Structures are given as structure tokens and as C-alpha cells.
Amino acid sequence: KVKAIDGLSQDERAYLINLVNTKKKYGLVWEDKPEEVEEQLRENLPVLREVKEKAIVNGEDFPNHILIEGDNLHALTALNFTHEGRIDTIYIDPPYNTGAKNWLYNNDYVDKDDTYRHSKFISFMEHRIQLAKRLLSPKGILICAIDDYEVHNVRHLLDEVFGQENRLGTIVVVHNPRGRNDDRFIATMHEYMLIYAKDFTQASINFFPLNDKDIAAYNKTDGISNFNETGFIRTGNNSLRTERPNLYYSIYYNILKDKLQLEDDSNSIKLLPINGKGEERTWRWGKETFQDLKDTELFVRQVKGEYKIFKKRRITNIEGKKPKTVWTESKYDASSNGIMLLQDIFDGKNPFPYPKSFYALLDTLQISTGEDSIILDFFAGSGTTLHATMSLNATDGGNRQCILVTNNENNICEEVTYERNKRVINGYKKPKGETVNALSRNNLRYFQCTYVPRESSLKNKRELTQLATELLCIKEECYNEQKIKIKQAKLFSNARVTLLILFDDHIIPDAVELIKGLDAKEIKVYVFSMGSDPYTEDFAEVLDKVTLCALPDAIYKAYQNVLPKKKRTVPLMEEVSETPTNENGEQLSIL
């Protein structure tokens, strides 16, 4: 039977019964109490407004990095219009929920004595992770930095959202080699990076490039290239004869000719893939590949009186070094390459308490991005992710674009995140006078979240259309405004696309005449409409030149699957069974 719980109303008890009946029996269960920022979305739609005086524009052909000031739940909602399915790498470093006064939930700091501290954290994270997943491209990857306070909960959450099969791995980063002195029992040296793919069948992880020490290990040469050697007997998974019997066969070594062959003769000895323990393993190649490559890629040497076959590992065939699960190098030290680096940028001052190591971010992006990737960090902190993105572009000639999101608590967005990357782009001097060269082949644009009432009245639709300009510029990555004579219209262009925004349907005839004279590869026209029709018939003369889209309908459609319902209701007692049951129909007690 259900036991009454003192202090709970009838509706609250009914809600609790429903929760027990509907929640799955294995996995995370938490109190899904809405945040105030989520409640704001029940009545308002987020849009982005550019702070033009903060724009740093160095060239049309350079990457346009974006910094969004605002709550990341609101920013992620807006990005679902501009970037759904387009982000290649998401890196986040959320609050670690240590109990220190460093994480605000509903405008109150969550301390270590809060009974619902972990529940609040998971609820906070789940809403954002769900939105983030929608932003990832089919090959996209999410990387979450976290430590021991919440790693177990976050891993369960990510397993639930992405599926365990899409968990690519966990990396342990030694970010504090000295150990944390204030730990009571064991000094913590490390934190984690949890890595998930949207679809593991399409995702890939890059190798690290070889350094001078790695290259020096290829210290043999045969006139073709430098190489080192590895045994021709396969080891590890799928290396037993029973697992891959077609790779178990006899190879004959002609001692007089120093030749490997598949045919036996009087001058040959038989070699089999049997290791030192007497286990029947397999060769690395099948017979056909062996025949093709044996003369240049294999050789034989005596080891402890036995002839062994070795394979040449050529430096020209090596993609690089596969990332490992433990990163211990001194460059990952967050003090030396995080705090001290930030002090160098900010004239010896320390404006942010716990910046990540710049090199930890650099290597993370090295393995998770391509030269044209779009990167998102919606817990931007001091802005290390953008700094690393620009540095990586400068190293390999890439064109990566980075989007940062952070609130402006204690002026962090304006005075730390923005200011850091502004100085990096423009160049700066360290406190001792050393000049750090500018990463000037980058643009940075600053946006703030603002809002339009969610009710779809004519007034609100017109206001949303007027405020959609920056969203459309971000969506089409087209910021260069052109002067036109048509009122109630804006025209933007770059080498790829021309963007025409019409704020009133009455100017369509003038817009058609303008379009006739445009010489552009691709023209996208966004036109105000009360419904979903972008006035296709009115553009009949230029339909072969344009792609049409109705505003604000396109924004409403993008938001409809990510916004919370307008009103949140608690189920009434009569809407649920009086007694909660398990999956076998057995009654449960609520204590």
C-alpha cells in the first residue's frame, strides 16, 4: 500500500506515484525540477543580437568565430535554428559540482550540504546535452571534461542520451601533477574527458603527428625508406588460429637464397605463427598479400637460435600516434599552461580561477577535428577552446570555426573570455616584455541573447522577423552587408552566398527586380509571411536563381522540437494509478 508522506499535497503524491510507475528501473533517476531559465522559454523565444562595437573583423576569407553572452540553455536553443546537424566537435567543461560556491542553479549557489545537489546537476546537464546532441553532425563528437565528483553520473547520463555503443572512450588527463593538497586522504592529480559520438559508425578520431623522438625510432633503412620492425605474428584480439583460421598457414624460408615462399623445397625450413608460449596464433597478412609484399616488406632474423619473420613499419605509411587513454605529459599541467598562460595574456593578473591547459585543448582538437570543422563550447570559461582553435588553424592552415557560449556572471564574458581572445587575435606582450605574435587571420563576433514573446501574434511575428537578421547571418555565415535602395530589406553577401531578407511582403516586386540584376552563385531569400508560404508564385520570374524561406515560420519550426511546453502541469491523482507497481505488476511502497 501507499504510505502517506507528511507535508505532500494530494497532487504531489500523485506525481510521485506517476514518477515511480513511468521511470525505468535501471539508470539515472532524478528530480526534474525546471530551472528559471527553462521557465523563461515557456513564454519567450531566444534570439541573438550582435554587439557590433566588439566585432573584430580582419578579412572576409578568415574564420568567423562567435562568442555568445547569455545562458547556455537559451543559446543552445537559438543555435538549433542556425546550426542543427552542423557541429563537428563539442567540447564542454561544465561546473564540477564540488560543493564550493562556484555553481549557480536558479540563481542560488549549490553547496555541499544541498540534499539535491547531484539531482540538480544532472537535471541541469540533461537539458543541455539533449540540445547539444541535435547540433552534432552525423559524424560529430562530444567531449565532456569532468572530475570524480560527478563523473559516474555524467557517464550514465551520456550513455542514456547517446547510447553506450557510441561511447568512444575515456581519457584520464593528469592536469595537476603535484596533487591537490587540500584532499583529505588521497591527493587528486587527474580529471577525465568522456568522449561520445553521435554515430560511432561515422565518427573518427585523428592520430597525433609524429615528433622528432618518434621519427628517430625509425632508425633502419633499405633504400626505399626508413623503417622500424615488428613481429609478423599477430598479437592481441582476433589473433588466435581458431578466430581467423585463414591466416594460419605455413611459410617456408629458403636459407641459401634468403627468400620467403609458400612452396617447400630442400633448402627451406617451415615457419608457423606459433609464439614463445606455444600458442597457435596467425600471420598479419593472408597468402595473397604475403605474395605481393614479402620481398620488400618482410625479412627473417635468428632470435635465440630460431628463425623469426619481421615486418617493416615504414615511416611513410604511419598515420601518426593513436591517442591513449592516459595523458601524463607536463604540457597538460593546468597551472603552468593554464593559469600562468592567462597571467601572461592579462599583464600578470589572474582573472579566472581554473583555466584548462592550453595544450590539453590543443591536443583534444587535434584528435577530434578536421581543417574545416565547426567547434562548440557552451561552458566557455576563459575561452581556451577558441584560443586553441585559432592556434591549430595557424599550425596546419585550417579554417576551423569556433562558437563559444558563456554567461556574463562577474563580467566573465566581456572581461575574460572576449578580452583574452581579442588580445590573442591582436597580439600581446607578456609582463616581461616578450611579444606574442598576433593570430590575425581570424574574425570574432560578439552576440547577446535577447527575447521575443512566444505568443504567435502578428506583432510578435513581425518583431521576431526584425530580430532574425543576426540569426540568419550566423546561419548562412554571411555578414558583409551591401547597400540597397529597397526599404524594409537587407542584403548580405560573401564569396559563397548572397542573403536577402525582406521584412515586408509588399516589397517583393522590388526584390524581384533586384534579384534579376544580382550575379551570384547562390541567393537565399528570407521573406516575412504570416504562414509557411514564402510567396513562391510572386518570385516566379527568378525561381531558378533563388532559394525561398518564410519568416518567422522557419524559426518557429526549428524551435518547436526543443522548447519546453508553454505550461508545466503536475498530474492529478485521478490521472495515475493509486498504487505504484513494478514491471511484474507487483505493488510498491513509497517510504
Side-chain angles (χ1 to χ4, degrees), residues 135-153:
L135 294 174
L136 284 173
S137 69
K139 64 178 182 179
I141 291 172
L142 180 139
I143 301 166
C144 180
I146 201 72
D147 74 356
D148 281 304
Y149 287 98
E150 292 289 356
V151 64
H152 49 298
N153 287 329

Side-chain angles (χ1 to χ4, degrees), residues 30 121-131 157 161:
W30 65 90
F121 182 78
I122 291 303
S123 180
F124 168 85
M125 288 294 295
E126 193 265 346
H127 295 154
R128 288 153 179 81
I129 294 297
Q130 291 285 7
L131 288 172
L157 174 63
V161 174

Side-chain angles (χ1 to χ4, degrees), residues 51-277:
V51 183
K52 295 188 182 296
E53 60 269 23
K54 291 185 180 294
I56 303 170
V57 182
N58 291 320
E60 288 186 32
D61 297 330
F62 301 155
N64 285 293
H65 307 295
I66 294 169
L67 173 57
I68 300 173
E69 175 195 320
D71 186 90
N72 54 17
L73 189 68
H74 297 167
L76 287 168
T77 302
L79 288 171
N80 264 277
F81 171 65
T82 64
H83 281 80
E84 183 178 6
R86 293 176 55 198
I87 303 294
D88 299 299
T89 298
I90 295 176
Y91 173 88
I92 54 172
D93 181 24
Y96 285 0
N97 199 20
T98 63
K101 299 284 187 178
N102 61 358
W103 176 46
L104 281 171
Y105 184 82
N106 280 348
N107 299 317
D108 291 321
Y109 285 107
V110 179
D111 62 38
K112 62 182 179 180
D113 297 321
D114 190 319
T115 306
Y116 294 97
R117 173 159 63 99
H118 298 291
S119 180
K120 288 177 178 178
F121 182 78
I122 291 303
S123 180
F124 168 85
M125 288 294 295
E126 193 265 346
H127 295 154
R128 288 153 179 81
I129 294 297
Q130 291 285 7
L131 288 172
K133 183 183 177 184
R134 296 177 65 94
L135 294 174
L136 284 173
S137 69
K139 64 178 182 179
I141 291 172
L142 180 139
I143 301 166
C144 180
I146 201 72
D147 74 356
D148 281 304
Y149 287 98
E150 292 289 356
V151 64
H152 49 298
N153 287 329
V154 172
R155 182 163 166 163
H156 275 305
L157 174 63
L158 292 174
D159 279 352
E160 190 168 289
V161 174
F162 285 91
Q164 292 185 30
E165 70 278 6
N166 289 309
R167 187 199 307 148
L168 302 186
T170 301
I171 294 175
V172 176
V173 183
V174 178
H175 72 300
N176 182 4
R178 295 159 298 281
R180 197 159 57 201
N181 291 328
D182 55 356
D183 283 342
R184 184 175 180 184
F185 297 109
I186 300 171
T188 303
M189 301 171 60
H190 70 282
E191 58 187 13
Y192 307 91
M193 289 197 299
L194 308 177
I195 306 177
Y196 285 75
K198 189 169 189 178
D199 179 355
F200 77 95
T201 65
Q202 299 189 56
S204 62
I205 292 292
N206 304 324
F207 288 3
F208 288 125
L210 301 178
N211 57 32
D212 292 342
K213 183 178 179 181
D214 299 322
I215 294 171
Y218 293 82
N219 54 5
K220 298 179 175 63
T221 187
D222 60 0
I224 298 175
S225 73
N226 283 10
F227 67 90
N228 62 19
E229 61 189 51
T230 186
F232 192 51
I233 296 177
R234 185 182 292 273
T235 59
N237 293 333
N238 295 317
S239 65
L240 294 173
R241 178 183 183 179
T242 54
E243 294 170 322
R244 305 186 72 178
N246 60 314
L247 295 182
Y248 184 92
Y249 55 90
S250 300
I251 296 177
Y252 296 92
Y253 176 54
N254 188 310
I255 300 174
L256 295 180
K257 295 180 180 180
D258 188 24
K259 291 287 185 181
L260 290 167
Q261 56 197 42
L262 294 177
E263 302 80 22
D264 190 9
D265 60 36
S266 59
N267 295 316
S268 298
I269 60 171
K270 183 167 74 170
L271 303 175
L272 290 169
I274 298 175
N275 64 19
K277 297 179 181 179

